[in-house]
Amino acid sequence: MALKLTNTTDFDGGTPDQMDEMAQDEVVLIALDDIDESDRLRPVDMDFAQAIASSIEKSGLLQPIDICQLPNQKSKKPYRLVAGGHRMEAHRILGHTSIPCFIRSNDADQRRAREIAEN
């Protein structure tokens, strides 16, 4: 289930300036269980995810993760993680059940380029 975020109190630690910068992109709140994490280039480093969890706990999530919607339900989950595996794991560590996301293009080349650029 996706929930469109409409104000800064919905965003996990974002400031009004951050929300203005993201105005061209729609930020939605997606359940962690609805995001497929398979087909990743690099595994999640749990020590790094814990460090990010500590940062999120103090300052909030500064950048939503990138996901794409899966066509034809190749997976049992409606979305695939494009970039932000450590942030996603940090949310799990903190006991969150959802995370702010940008829904991006499902083009395979664009997905892979975005994942590479982030890493």
Side-chain angles (χ1 to χ4, degrees), residues 40-82:
R40 302 288 300 146
L41 290 177
R42 110 180 149 154
V44 170
D45 177 317
M46 291 306 290
D47 290 335
F48 189 51
Q50 183 61 55
I52 292 173
S54 295
S55 174
I56 290 171
E57 197 167 39
K58 290 177 190 172
S59 305
L61 180 67
L62 300 179
Q63 175 70 26
I65 67 170
D66 290 350
I67 61 173
C68 65
Q69 198 158 11
L70 291 174
N72 304 327
Q73 296 299 350
K74 291 181 181 178
S75 168
K76 293 180 181 180
K77 300 182 179 192
Y79 301 98
R80 173 172 290 142
L81 180 65
V82 175

Side-chain angles (χ1 to χ4, degrees), residues 15-49:
T15 66
D17 289 340
Q18 289 166 332
M19 292 303 286
D20 287 343
E21 288 175 16
M22 293 183 283
Q24 69 275 8
D25 292 317
E26 183 176 72
V27 178
V28 294
L29 197 60
I30 302 290
L32 293 171
D33 289 342
D34 285 345
I35 303 171
D36 178 5
E37 299 171 77
S38 64
D39 193 32
R40 302 288 300 146
L41 290 177
R42 110 180 149 154
V44 170
D45 177 317
M46 291 306 290
D47 290 335
F48 189 51

